[in-house]
Amino acid sequence: MDETAGTETAGTRWRPRVMTLLLAALTGVVAMAAGVAVAHLVAAVTTPAASPLVAVGSTFIDLTPTWLKEFAVARFGTADKPILLGSIAVVLVAMSALCGLLARRHRAAACAAAAGVGLVAAAAAVSRPDASIIDALPALLGAAVAASALAWLTRPSHADAQASGTEDDVGSATKTGPDRRSVLLGALVIGAGAAVTGALGTVLGGVLKGVDAARAAIRLPAPADPAPVLAPAVTAPVSGITPFRVPNADFYRVDTALVVPTVGLTGWRLTLGGMVSNPYSLTYDDLLAMPLVERDLTLTCVSNEVGGPYAGNARWLGVRLTDLLDRAGVSDRADQLLSRSVDGFTAGTPMAIATDGRDALVAVGMNGEPLPAEHGFPARLVVPGLYGFVSATKWLTSLDATTYAAEQAYWTQRGWATDAPVRTMARVEVPRPLSTVSAGEVAIGGVAWAQHRAISVVEVQVDDGPWEMARLGDVPSDDTWRQWWSPWRATPGRHTLRARATDGDGALQPDTRLTPFPSGAQGWHEVVVLVA
Ligand SMILES: Nc1nc2c(c(=O)[nH]1)N[C@H]1C(S)=C(S)[C@@H](COP(=O)(O)O)O[C@H]1N2
Ligand SMILES: [Mo]
Protein backbone atom coordinates (compact mmCIF):
# COMPACT_ATOMS: atom_id res chain seq x y z
CA MET A 1 0.00 0.00 0.00
CA ASP A 2 1.44 3.27 -1.09
CA GLU A 3 0.39 5.99 1.34
CA THR A 4 1.79 8.74 -0.89
CA ALA A 5 -0.22 7.83 -3.95
CA GLY A 6 -2.21 10.55 -5.71
CA THR A 7 -5.29 11.73 -3.87
CA GLU A 8 -7.75 10.25 -6.29
CA THR A 9 -6.23 6.77 -6.14
CA ALA A 10 -5.58 6.91 -2.40
CA GLY A 11 -9.18 7.91 -1.77
CA THR A 12 -10.67 5.04 -3.67
CA ARG A 13 -8.21 2.55 -2.20
CA TRP A 14 -8.46 3.95 1.29
CA ARG A 15 -12.17 3.33 1.81
CA PRO A 16 -12.27 -0.41 1.10
CA ARG A 17 -9.19 -0.88 3.27
CA VAL A 18 -10.85 0.85 6.21
CA MET A 19 -13.94 -1.28 5.63
CA THR A 20 -11.81 -4.39 5.67
CA LEU A 21 -10.11 -3.38 8.90
CA LEU A 22 -13.42 -2.43 10.53
CA LEU A 23 -14.87 -5.75 9.51
CA ALA A 24 -11.88 -7.57 10.96
CA ALA A 25 -12.23 -5.64 14.24
CA LEU A 26 -15.97 -6.37 14.28
CA THR A 27 -15.22 -10.05 13.80
CA GLY A 28 -13.11 -9.99 16.96
CA VAL A 29 -15.75 -8.11 18.93
CA VAL A 30 -18.55 -10.44 17.83
CA ALA A 31 -16.52 -13.55 18.67
CA MET A 32 -15.73 -12.18 22.12
CA ALA A 33 -19.37 -11.20 22.68
CA ALA A 34 -20.37 -14.77 21.93
CA GLY A 35 -17.86 -16.02 24.50
CA VAL A 36 -18.98 -13.53 27.15
CA ALA A 37 -22.66 -14.33 26.54
CA VAL A 38 -22.14 -18.08 26.85
CA ALA A 39 -20.07 -17.59 29.99
CA HIS A 40 -22.79 -15.34 31.42
CA LEU A 41 -25.46 -17.96 30.75
CA VAL A 42 -23.39 -20.75 32.31
CA ALA A 43 -22.65 -18.52 35.30
CA ALA A 44 -26.38 -17.94 35.80
CA VAL A 45 -26.70 -21.66 36.46
CA THR A 46 -23.51 -22.07 38.51
CA THR A 47 -22.48 -18.79 40.21
CA PRO A 48 -23.72 -15.40 38.91
CA ALA A 49 -20.63 -13.70 40.36
CA ALA A 50 -18.45 -15.90 38.10
CA SER A 51 -19.76 -14.16 34.98
CA PRO A 52 -16.61 -12.72 33.32
CA LEU A 53 -17.32 -8.97 33.58
CA VAL A 54 -18.48 -9.34 37.16
CA ALA A 55 -15.53 -11.51 38.19
CA VAL A 56 -13.00 -9.15 36.62
CA GLY A 57 -14.81 -6.11 38.02
CA SER A 58 -14.95 -7.56 41.54
CA THR A 59 -11.25 -8.40 41.43
CA PHE A 60 -10.59 -4.87 40.24
CA ILE A 61 -12.58 -3.44 43.16
CA ASP A 62 -10.60 -5.48 45.68
CA LEU A 63 -7.27 -4.50 44.09
CA THR A 64 -8.16 -0.82 43.68
CA PRO A 65 -6.03 1.41 45.88
CA THR A 66 -7.97 3.29 48.53
CA TRP A 67 -7.40 6.73 46.96
CA LEU A 68 -8.89 5.62 43.66
CA LYS A 69 -11.87 4.03 45.39
CA GLU A 70 -12.41 7.23 47.38
CA PHE A 71 -12.27 9.20 44.16
CA ALA A 72 -14.78 6.89 42.46
CA VAL A 73 -17.23 7.03 45.36
CA ALA A 74 -16.87 10.81 45.65
CA ARG A 75 -17.13 11.43 41.92
CA PHE A 76 -19.67 8.83 40.83
CA GLY A 77 -21.48 7.91 44.06
CA THR A 78 -23.62 4.83 43.63
CA ALA A 79 -23.08 5.02 39.85
CA ASP A 80 -19.51 3.82 40.46
CA LYS A 81 -20.53 0.21 39.73
CA PRO A 82 -22.14 0.70 36.29
CA ILE A 83 -19.22 2.98 35.42
CA LEU A 84 -16.71 0.29 36.38
CA LEU A 85 -18.57 -2.40 34.42
CA GLY A 86 -18.84 -0.05 31.46
CA SER A 87 -15.10 0.71 31.55
CA ILE A 88 -14.23 -2.98 31.65
CA ALA A 89 -16.58 -3.58 28.71
CA VAL A 90 -14.85 -0.79 26.74
CA VAL A 91 -11.41 -2.29 27.41
CA LEU A 92 -12.74 -5.72 26.43
CA VAL A 93 -14.19 -4.38 23.18
CA ALA A 94 -10.82 -2.79 22.37
CA MET A 95 -8.94 -6.01 23.09
CA SER A 96 -11.42 -8.05 21.03
CA ALA A 97 -11.08 -5.65 18.12
CA LEU A 98 -7.30 -6.10 18.30
CA CYS A 99 -7.78 -9.89 18.26
CA GLY A 100 -9.92 -9.48 15.16
CA LEU A 101 -7.28 -7.35 13.44
CA LEU A 102 -4.52 -9.74 14.45
CA ALA A 103 -6.48 -12.62 12.92
CA ARG A 104 -5.94 -11.17 9.44
CA ARG A 105 -2.29 -12.16 9.52
CA HIS A 106 -1.94 -14.53 12.45
CA ARG A 107 -5.15 -16.42 12.82
CA ALA A 108 -3.95 -19.00 15.35
CA ALA A 109 -2.31 -16.35 17.53
CA ALA A 110 -5.47 -14.26 17.47
CA CYS A 111 -7.63 -17.19 18.54
CA ALA A 112 -5.15 -17.96 21.31
CA ALA A 113 -5.27 -14.31 22.42
CA ALA A 114 -9.07 -14.39 22.52
CA ALA A 115 -8.94 -17.56 24.59
CA GLY A 116 -6.30 -15.90 26.79
CA VAL A 117 -8.68 -13.08 27.66
CA GLY A 118 -11.13 -15.76 28.76
CA LEU A 119 -8.46 -17.40 30.87
CA VAL A 120 -7.83 -14.11 32.70
CA ALA A 121 -11.55 -13.94 33.52
CA ALA A 122 -11.46 -17.56 34.70
CA ALA A 123 -8.52 -16.76 36.95
CA ALA A 124 -10.38 -13.75 38.35
CA ALA A 125 -13.45 -15.90 39.00
CA VAL A 126 -11.62 -18.64 40.90
CA SER A 127 -9.60 -16.17 42.93
CA ARG A 128 -12.73 -14.58 44.44
CA PRO A 129 -12.79 -15.15 48.20
CA ASP A 130 -15.98 -17.21 48.03
CA ALA A 131 -15.13 -19.09 44.82
CA SER A 132 -14.86 -22.80 44.13
CA ILE A 133 -13.01 -24.39 41.21
CA ILE A 134 -16.31 -24.76 39.32
CA ASP A 135 -16.40 -20.97 39.02
CA ALA A 136 -13.71 -21.25 36.33
CA LEU A 137 -16.17 -23.12 34.12
CA PRO A 138 -18.19 -20.17 32.72
CA ALA A 139 -15.11 -18.23 31.56
CA LEU A 140 -13.36 -21.38 30.28
CA LEU A 141 -16.36 -22.28 28.13
CA GLY A 142 -16.58 -18.65 27.10
CA ALA A 143 -12.91 -18.72 26.09
CA ALA A 144 -13.51 -21.81 23.95
CA VAL A 145 -16.54 -20.21 22.30
CA ALA A 146 -14.74 -16.91 21.63
CA ALA A 147 -11.72 -18.66 20.11
CA SER A 148 -13.87 -21.00 17.99
CA ALA A 149 -16.12 -18.17 16.80
CA LEU A 150 -13.09 -16.14 15.77
CA ALA A 151 -11.56 -19.15 14.03
CA TRP A 152 -14.80 -19.81 12.19
CA LEU A 153 -15.40 -16.20 11.16
CA THR A 154 -11.86 -15.91 9.80
CA ARG A 155 -11.73 -19.34 8.15
CA PRO A 156 -9.85 -19.43 4.84
CA SER A 157 -12.17 -19.40 1.87
CA HIS A 158 -12.04 -21.08 -1.55
CA ALA A 159 -11.26 -17.73 -3.04
CA ASP A 160 -7.84 -17.83 -1.39
CA ALA A 161 -6.94 -21.02 -3.13
CA GLN A 162 -7.39 -19.24 -6.43
CA ALA A 163 -5.52 -16.20 -5.05
CA SER A 164 -7.95 -14.11 -6.99
CA GLY A 165 -8.45 -10.52 -6.07
CA THR A 166 -11.83 -9.44 -4.85
CA GLU A 167 -12.64 -5.90 -3.86
CA ASP A 168 -11.74 -6.88 -0.29
CA ASP A 169 -8.20 -7.52 -1.35
CA VAL A 170 -7.39 -3.98 -2.25
CA GLY A 171 -4.46 -2.86 -0.21
CA SER A 172 -3.96 -6.18 1.50
CA ALA A 173 -1.27 -8.51 0.30
CA THR A 174 -2.19 -11.44 2.52
CA LYS A 175 -5.94 -11.42 2.38
CA THR A 176 -7.47 -14.53 3.93
CA GLY A 177 -10.97 -15.39 5.02
CA PRO A 178 -14.39 -15.67 3.49
CA ASP A 179 -15.94 -12.81 1.58
CA ARG A 180 -17.30 -9.79 3.33
CA ARG A 181 -20.94 -10.69 3.00
CA SER A 182 -20.63 -14.08 4.65
CA VAL A 183 -18.46 -12.64 7.43
CA LEU A 184 -21.07 -9.94 8.08
CA LEU A 185 -23.86 -12.49 8.04
CA GLY A 186 -21.94 -14.79 10.38
CA ALA A 187 -21.17 -11.89 12.67
CA LEU A 188 -24.83 -10.90 12.68
CA VAL A 189 -25.98 -14.41 13.54
CA ILE A 190 -23.36 -14.87 16.26
CA GLY A 191 -24.00 -11.37 17.62
CA ALA A 192 -27.74 -11.97 17.83
CA GLY A 193 -27.11 -15.35 19.42
CA ALA A 194 -24.84 -13.65 21.96
CA ALA A 195 -27.47 -11.05 22.81
CA VAL A 196 -30.17 -13.69 23.30
CA THR A 197 -27.86 -15.94 25.32
CA GLY A 198 -26.72 -13.06 27.51
CA ALA A 199 -30.26 -11.89 28.18
CA LEU A 200 -31.34 -15.45 28.92
CA GLY A 201 -28.49 -15.73 31.42
CA THR A 202 -29.57 -12.56 33.20
CA VAL A 203 -33.21 -13.63 33.45
CA LEU A 204 -32.34 -17.21 34.40
CA GLY A 205 -29.91 -16.01 37.06
CA GLY A 206 -32.70 -14.14 38.83
CA VAL A 207 -35.24 -16.95 38.52
CA LEU A 208 -32.94 -19.80 39.56
CA LYS A 209 -31.79 -18.20 42.79
CA GLY A 210 -35.39 -17.33 43.62
CA VAL A 211 -34.56 -14.71 46.24
CA ASP A 212 -37.75 -12.83 45.46
CA ALA A 213 -39.83 -15.96 45.80
CA ALA A 214 -38.03 -16.93 49.01
CA ARG A 215 -38.56 -13.45 50.47
CA ALA A 216 -42.22 -13.38 49.48
CA ALA A 217 -42.87 -16.69 51.23
CA ILE A 218 -41.38 -15.56 54.54
CA ARG A 219 -43.63 -14.61 57.42
CA LEU A 220 -41.52 -12.80 59.98
CA PRO A 221 -42.58 -13.57 63.55
CA ALA A 222 -43.73 -10.74 65.81
CA PRO A 223 -40.96 -9.34 67.98
CA ALA A 224 -40.79 -10.50 71.60
CA ASP A 225 -39.37 -7.03 72.30
CA PRO A 226 -41.08 -4.52 70.00
CA ALA A 227 -39.69 -1.09 69.09
CA PRO A 228 -40.98 1.78 71.21
CA VAL A 229 -44.00 3.46 69.62
CA LEU A 230 -42.84 6.51 67.68
CA ALA A 231 -44.15 9.84 68.90
CA PRO A 232 -45.74 11.88 66.09
CA ALA A 233 -43.17 14.55 66.95
CA VAL A 234 -40.31 12.51 65.47
CA THR A 235 -41.38 14.35 62.32
CA ALA A 236 -40.61 18.06 62.18
CA PRO A 237 -43.41 20.33 60.94
CA VAL A 238 -41.29 21.27 57.93
CA SER A 239 -41.60 19.64 54.52
CA GLY A 240 -38.56 18.46 52.62
CA ILE A 241 -36.65 16.88 55.50
CA THR A 242 -35.69 13.20 55.00
CA PRO A 243 -38.37 11.03 56.64
CA PHE A 244 -37.49 9.77 60.11
CA ARG A 245 -37.75 6.19 58.80
CA VAL A 246 -36.42 5.89 55.26
CA PRO A 247 -38.38 3.46 53.02
CA ASN A 248 -36.32 0.45 51.92
CA ALA A 249 -36.38 1.49 48.27
CA ASP A 250 -34.82 4.87 49.15
CA PHE A 251 -32.32 3.60 51.71
CA TYR A 252 -28.72 4.33 50.73
CA ARG A 253 -26.69 1.37 49.53
CA VAL A 254 -22.92 1.03 49.89
CA ASP A 255 -20.97 -2.19 49.35
CA THR A 256 -18.22 -3.79 47.29
CA ALA A 257 -20.60 -6.22 45.54
CA LEU A 258 -20.84 -5.68 41.77
CA VAL A 259 -23.89 -7.88 41.55
CA VAL A 260 -26.18 -8.14 44.56
CA PRO A 261 -25.39 -11.52 46.13
CA THR A 262 -28.44 -13.75 45.73
CA VAL A 263 -28.52 -15.96 48.77
CA GLY A 264 -31.07 -18.77 48.81
CA LEU A 265 -32.29 -20.08 52.16
CA THR A 266 -31.49 -23.73 51.47
CA GLY A 267 -27.95 -24.29 52.49
CA TRP A 268 -27.55 -20.88 54.12
CA ARG A 269 -26.15 -21.08 57.65
CA LEU A 270 -24.97 -18.54 60.19
CA THR A 271 -21.88 -20.03 61.84
CA LEU A 272 -20.50 -18.87 65.19
CA GLY A 273 -16.91 -19.82 65.78
CA GLY A 274 -13.37 -18.71 66.40
CA MET A 275 -12.29 -18.24 70.02
CA VAL A 276 -15.45 -19.72 71.54
CA SER A 277 -16.08 -22.74 73.73
CA ASN A 278 -19.18 -23.87 71.84
CA PRO A 279 -19.09 -23.26 68.08
CA TYR A 280 -22.42 -23.84 66.32
CA SER A 281 -24.43 -22.88 63.29
CA LEU A 282 -28.04 -21.87 62.68
CA THR A 283 -30.45 -22.09 59.78
CA TYR A 284 -32.71 -19.18 58.88
CA ASP A 285 -35.61 -20.90 60.67
CA ASP A 286 -33.43 -21.39 63.76
CA LEU A 287 -32.79 -17.64 63.78
CA LEU A 288 -36.48 -16.79 63.43
CA ALA A 289 -37.28 -19.17 66.29
CA MET A 290 -35.16 -17.12 68.70
CA PRO A 291 -36.61 -14.14 70.60
CA LEU A 292 -36.71 -11.21 68.18
CA VAL A 293 -36.01 -7.59 69.02
CA GLU A 294 -37.22 -4.63 66.96
CA ARG A 295 -35.44 -1.26 67.03
CA ASP A 296 -35.19 1.98 65.07
CA LEU A 297 -31.47 2.36 64.31
CA THR A 298 -29.58 4.78 62.09
CA LEU A 299 -26.85 3.45 59.84
CA THR A 300 -24.07 5.69 58.49
CA CYS A 301 -21.27 5.11 56.02
CA VAL A 302 -17.75 6.23 56.81
CA SER A 303 -17.43 7.42 53.18
CA ASN A 304 -20.15 10.00 53.71
CA GLU A 305 -18.86 13.52 53.12
CA VAL A 306 -20.02 16.38 55.35
CA GLY A 307 -23.65 16.88 54.29
CA GLY A 308 -23.58 13.68 52.19
CA PRO A 309 -26.37 11.16 51.52
CA TYR A 310 -24.95 7.90 52.97
CA ALA A 311 -27.00 7.73 56.16
CA GLY A 312 -30.40 6.20 56.79
CA ASN A 313 -32.72 5.21 59.58
CA ALA A 314 -34.81 2.03 59.53
CA ARG A 315 -36.77 -0.24 61.83
CA TRP A 316 -34.74 -3.42 62.15
CA LEU A 317 -35.99 -6.80 63.39
CA GLY A 318 -33.43 -9.29 64.55
CA VAL A 319 -31.78 -11.47 67.15
CA ARG A 320 -29.70 -9.83 69.84
CA LEU A 321 -26.04 -10.30 68.99
CA THR A 322 -25.26 -11.04 72.64
CA ASP A 323 -27.83 -13.88 72.68
CA LEU A 324 -25.85 -15.51 69.87
CA LEU A 325 -22.43 -14.77 71.40
CA ASP A 326 -23.40 -15.92 74.90
CA ARG A 327 -24.49 -19.27 73.54
CA ALA A 328 -21.09 -19.63 71.82
CA GLY A 329 -19.13 -18.71 74.95
CA VAL A 330 -16.63 -16.10 73.76
CA SER A 331 -13.09 -16.27 75.15
CA ASP A 332 -11.93 -13.31 77.28
CA ARG A 333 -8.91 -12.99 74.98
CA ALA A 334 -11.04 -12.21 71.89
CA ASP A 335 -11.04 -8.44 71.26
CA GLN A 336 -12.60 -8.50 67.77
CA LEU A 337 -15.80 -9.89 66.32
CA LEU A 338 -15.10 -10.69 62.68
CA SER A 339 -18.28 -10.92 60.60
CA ARG A 340 -18.10 -12.43 57.14
CA SER A 341 -20.36 -12.14 54.11
CA VAL A 342 -21.09 -14.75 51.43
CA ASP A 343 -19.04 -12.62 49.03
CA GLY A 344 -15.94 -12.63 51.22
CA PHE A 345 -16.38 -9.12 52.66
CA THR A 346 -15.44 -8.91 56.33
CA ALA A 347 -15.99 -6.35 59.07
CA GLY A 348 -14.21 -6.23 62.41
CA THR A 349 -16.22 -4.95 65.37
CA PRO A 350 -14.61 -4.28 68.75
CA MET A 351 -15.85 -7.13 70.98
CA ALA A 352 -16.18 -4.67 73.88
CA ILE A 353 -18.65 -2.56 71.87
CA ALA A 354 -20.54 -5.53 70.42
CA THR A 355 -21.21 -6.79 73.96
CA ASP A 356 -21.66 -3.57 75.97
CA GLY A 357 -25.44 -3.86 76.09
CA ARG A 358 -26.32 -1.67 73.11
CA ASP A 359 -28.94 -2.94 70.65
CA ALA A 360 -26.55 -4.77 68.33
CA LEU A 361 -28.61 -7.10 66.14
CA VAL A 362 -28.31 -9.85 63.60
CA ALA A 363 -31.17 -8.38 61.59
CA VAL A 364 -33.57 -10.36 59.40
CA GLY A 365 -36.19 -7.64 58.91
CA MET A 366 -36.09 -4.04 57.69
CA ASN A 367 -39.11 -1.74 57.98
CA GLY A 368 -41.52 -4.65 58.35
CA GLU A 369 -40.19 -6.82 55.50
CA PRO A 370 -37.56 -9.53 55.23
CA LEU A 371 -34.26 -7.79 54.41
CA PRO A 372 -34.20 -6.70 50.77
CA ALA A 373 -31.49 -8.45 48.73
CA GLU A 374 -29.59 -5.13 48.41
CA HIS A 375 -29.54 -4.74 52.17
CA GLY A 376 -28.27 -8.18 53.06
CA PHE A 377 -30.91 -10.92 52.70
CA PRO A 378 -31.17 -13.23 54.57
CA ALA A 379 -29.34 -11.70 57.55
CA ARG A 380 -27.02 -8.80 58.37
CA LEU A 381 -25.33 -7.25 61.34
CA VAL A 382 -26.37 -3.81 62.66
CA VAL A 383 -24.46 -2.21 65.54
CA PRO A 384 -25.70 1.25 66.60
CA GLY A 385 -22.96 3.87 66.93
CA LEU A 386 -20.40 2.38 64.54
CA TYR A 387 -19.90 3.07 60.85
CA GLY A 388 -21.15 0.32 58.53
CA PHE A 389 -17.69 -0.79 57.39
CA VAL A 390 -16.81 -2.06 60.89
CA SER A 391 -20.19 -3.42 61.83
CA ALA A 392 -22.97 -3.77 59.29
CA THR A 393 -21.99 -6.91 57.31
CA LYS A 394 -24.72 -7.86 54.82
CA TRP A 395 -25.36 -11.38 53.46
CA LEU A 396 -23.89 -12.56 56.74
CA THR A 397 -22.53 -16.12 56.95
CA SER A 398 -20.27 -16.20 59.98
CA LEU A 399 -19.36 -14.46 63.21
CA ASP A 400 -15.93 -15.30 64.58
CA ALA A 401 -14.44 -14.28 67.90
CA THR A 402 -10.83 -13.36 67.16
CA THR A 403 -8.17 -10.72 67.85
CA TYR A 404 -7.11 -7.64 65.90
CA ALA A 405 -3.57 -9.06 66.05
CA ALA A 406 -4.62 -12.28 64.31
CA GLU A 407 -7.01 -11.07 61.59
CA GLN A 408 -7.79 -7.84 59.75
CA ALA A 409 -11.13 -7.04 58.13
CA TYR A 410 -11.59 -5.95 54.49
CA TRP A 411 -11.26 -2.17 54.93
CA THR A 412 -8.67 -2.36 57.68
CA GLN A 413 -6.42 -4.23 55.24
CA ARG A 414 -6.86 -1.19 53.00
CA GLY A 415 -5.78 1.35 55.59
CA TRP A 416 -9.09 2.37 57.16
CA ALA A 417 -9.55 2.61 60.92
CA THR A 418 -10.19 -0.47 63.04
CA ASP A 419 -12.45 1.20 65.56
CA ALA A 420 -14.76 3.78 64.04
CA PRO A 421 -17.51 5.37 66.14
CA VAL A 422 -19.86 7.56 64.12
CA ARG A 423 -18.88 11.24 64.25
CA THR A 424 -21.49 13.81 65.25
CA MET A 425 -23.03 15.38 62.15
CA ALA A 426 -25.78 17.91 61.37
CA ARG A 427 -27.03 18.06 57.78
CA VAL A 428 -28.91 21.04 56.32
CA GLU A 429 -31.65 19.70 54.00
CA VAL A 430 -34.05 22.63 53.60
CA PRO A 431 -33.90 25.03 51.93
CA ARG A 432 -32.12 22.96 49.26
CA PRO A 433 -28.57 24.03 48.47
CA LEU A 434 -28.51 26.73 45.77
CA SER A 435 -32.30 26.95 45.68
CA THR A 436 -34.15 30.25 45.52
CA VAL A 437 -36.70 31.01 48.25
CA SER A 438 -38.99 34.00 48.74
CA ALA A 439 -38.14 36.52 51.38
CA GLY A 440 -40.01 36.27 54.67
CA GLU A 441 -40.63 33.33 57.03
CA VAL A 442 -38.60 30.33 55.89
CA ALA A 443 -37.80 27.15 57.81
CA ILE A 444 -34.26 25.83 57.91
CA GLY A 445 -34.19 22.12 58.75
CA GLY A 446 -32.50 18.77 58.43
CA VAL A 447 -31.30 15.75 60.37
CA ALA A 448 -28.47 15.31 62.85
CA TRP A 449 -26.88 12.12 64.15
CA ALA A 450 -24.47 10.88 66.78
CA GLN A 451 -25.70 7.31 67.20
CA HIS A 452 -25.51 5.89 70.71
CA ARG A 453 -24.39 9.23 72.17
CA ALA A 454 -27.63 11.04 71.16
CA ILE A 455 -28.15 14.53 69.78
CA SER A 456 -28.81 17.06 72.55
CA VAL A 457 -28.50 20.37 70.69
CA VAL A 458 -28.53 21.59 67.10
CA GLU A 459 -27.61 25.19 66.31
CA VAL A 460 -28.05 27.15 63.12
CA GLN A 461 -26.12 30.15 61.84
CA VAL A 462 -27.06 32.44 58.95
CA ASP A 463 -24.02 34.12 57.37
CA ASP A 464 -21.93 35.51 60.25
CA GLY A 465 -24.91 35.99 62.56
CA PRO A 466 -25.34 34.50 66.03
CA TRP A 467 -25.80 30.75 66.51
CA GLU A 468 -29.48 30.04 67.12
CA MET A 469 -30.83 27.01 68.94
CA ALA A 470 -32.90 24.80 66.58
CA ARG A 471 -36.06 22.92 67.63
CA LEU A 472 -35.61 19.15 67.87
CA GLY A 473 -37.88 16.30 66.84
CA ASP A 474 -38.58 13.47 69.30
CA VAL A 475 -36.50 10.29 69.20
CA PRO A 476 -37.23 6.79 70.49
CA SER A 477 -33.63 6.27 71.70
CA ASP A 478 -30.05 7.57 71.51
CA ASP A 479 -29.44 5.36 68.48
CA THR A 480 -31.32 7.26 65.79
CA TRP A 481 -30.88 10.48 63.93
CA ARG A 482 -32.99 13.44 64.94
CA GLN A 483 -34.88 15.93 62.83
CA TRP A 484 -34.33 19.62 63.60
CA TRP A 485 -35.71 22.92 62.31
CA SER A 486 -35.39 26.61 62.90
CA PRO A 487 -37.49 29.55 61.65
CA TRP A 488 -35.67 32.24 59.68
CA ARG A 489 -36.77 35.70 58.47
CA ALA A 490 -35.10 35.52 55.10
CA THR A 491 -33.93 38.79 53.58
CA PRO A 492 -33.20 39.20 49.86
CA GLY A 493 -29.73 38.23 48.75
CA ARG A 494 -27.34 35.32 48.89
CA HIS A 495 -27.01 33.59 52.28
CA THR A 496 -24.93 30.85 53.83
CA LEU A 497 -26.78 28.53 56.23
CA ARG A 498 -24.67 26.49 58.64
CA ALA A 499 -25.56 23.84 61.23
CA ARG A 500 -23.71 22.11 64.05
CA ALA A 501 -24.76 19.60 66.69
CA THR A 502 -23.82 18.73 70.23
CA ASP A 503 -24.00 15.09 71.30
CA GLY A 504 -25.52 13.64 74.46
CA ASP A 505 -22.13 13.81 76.22
CA GLY A 506 -22.09 17.58 75.70
CA ALA A 507 -19.38 17.45 73.01
CA LEU A 508 -19.79 20.07 70.27
CA GLN A 509 -19.25 18.76 66.74
CA PRO A 510 -15.79 20.05 65.74
CA ASP A 511 -15.43 22.57 62.92
CA THR A 512 -12.06 21.21 61.78
CA ARG A 513 -12.53 19.49 58.44
CA LEU A 514 -11.54 15.84 58.12
CA THR A 515 -11.87 13.69 55.00
CA PRO A 516 -13.83 10.41 55.17
CA PHE A 517 -10.54 8.47 55.14
CA PRO A 518 -9.64 6.86 57.51
CA SER A 519 -12.31 7.28 60.18
CA GLY A 520 -15.12 9.49 58.90
CA ALA A 521 -15.66 13.05 57.68
CA GLN A 522 -15.88 15.92 60.13
CA GLY A 523 -16.90 19.58 59.88
CA TRP A 524 -19.91 21.85 59.88
CA HIS A 525 -22.27 21.51 56.96
CA GLU A 526 -23.19 24.71 55.16
CA VAL A 527 -25.33 25.47 52.13
CA VAL A 528 -25.79 28.59 50.07
CA VAL A 529 -29.32 29.76 49.18
CA LEU A 530 -30.71 32.70 47.25
CA VAL A 531 -33.56 34.77 48.63
CA ALA A 532 -35.59 36.74 46.10
N1 LIG B 1 -21.17 -7.91 52.51
C1 LIG B 1 -20.98 -6.60 52.66
N2 LIG B 1 -21.56 -5.97 53.70
C2 LIG B 1 -21.38 -4.64 53.88
C3 LIG B 1 -20.57 -3.90 53.00
C4 LIG B 1 -19.96 -4.59 51.91
O1 LIG B 1 -19.22 -4.02 51.10
N3 LIG B 1 -20.20 -5.94 51.78
N4 LIG B 1 -20.41 -2.56 53.20
C5 LIG B 1 -20.64 -2.03 54.53
C6 LIG B 1 -20.74 -0.58 54.54
S1 LIG B 1 -19.30 0.24 54.20
C7 LIG B 1 -21.89 0.07 54.86
S2 LIG B 1 -21.87 1.73 55.09
C8 LIG B 1 -23.16 -0.65 55.05
C9 LIG B 1 -24.25 -0.07 54.17
O2 LIG B 1 -25.44 -0.78 54.34
P1 LIG B 1 -26.65 -0.53 53.34
O3 LIG B 1 -26.13 -0.75 51.96
O4 LIG B 1 -27.73 -1.48 53.73
O5 LIG B 1 -27.07 0.90 53.55
O6 LIG B 1 -23.03 -2.02 54.73
C10 LIG B 1 -21.86 -2.63 55.20
N5 LIG B 1 -21.98 -4.04 54.94
MO1 LIG C 1 -19.67 2.32 54.53
Side-chain angles (χ1 to χ4, degrees), residues 133-214:
I133 191 72
I134 197 161
D135 293 336
L137 191 67
L140 287 182
L141 287 176
V145 167
S148 318
L150 187 59
W152 184 74
L153 283 170
T154 57
R155 68 197 180 280
S157 68
H158 305 301
D160 292 325
Q162 300 156 16
S164 74
T166 68
E167 56 168 77
D168 289 18
D169 290 64
V170 178
S172 171
T174 56
K175 164 71 177 64
T176 58
D179 67 276
R180 186 179 295 168
R181 188 173 301 126
S182 75
V183 169
L184 263 179
L185 198 66
L188 205 70
V189 169
I190 292 182
V196 170
T197 312
L200 193 67
T202 301
V203 172
L204 195 65
V207 173
L208 277 181
K209 294 296 167 177
V211 174
D212 292 340

Side-chain angles (χ1 to χ4, degrees), residues 251-256 299-301 341 343 345 374-375 380 388-389 392-395 411:
F251 205 91
Y252 84 94
R253 178 188 161 202
V254 170
D255 53 60
T256 61
L299 212 64
T300 320
C301 182
S341 156
D343 66 352
F345 171 88
E374 293 80 10
H375 298 290
R380 75 173 306 168
F389 81 110
T393 301
K394 306 191 271 190
W395 315 292
W411 287 112

Side-chain angles (χ1 to χ4, degrees), residues 233-234 236 448 455-459 470-474 482-485:
V234 295
I455 289 291
S456 60
V457 174
V458 174
E459 295 163 283
R471 312 264 308 265
L472 296 177
D474 271 358
R482 193 159 194 177
Q483 298 197 346
W484 59 266
W485 74 101

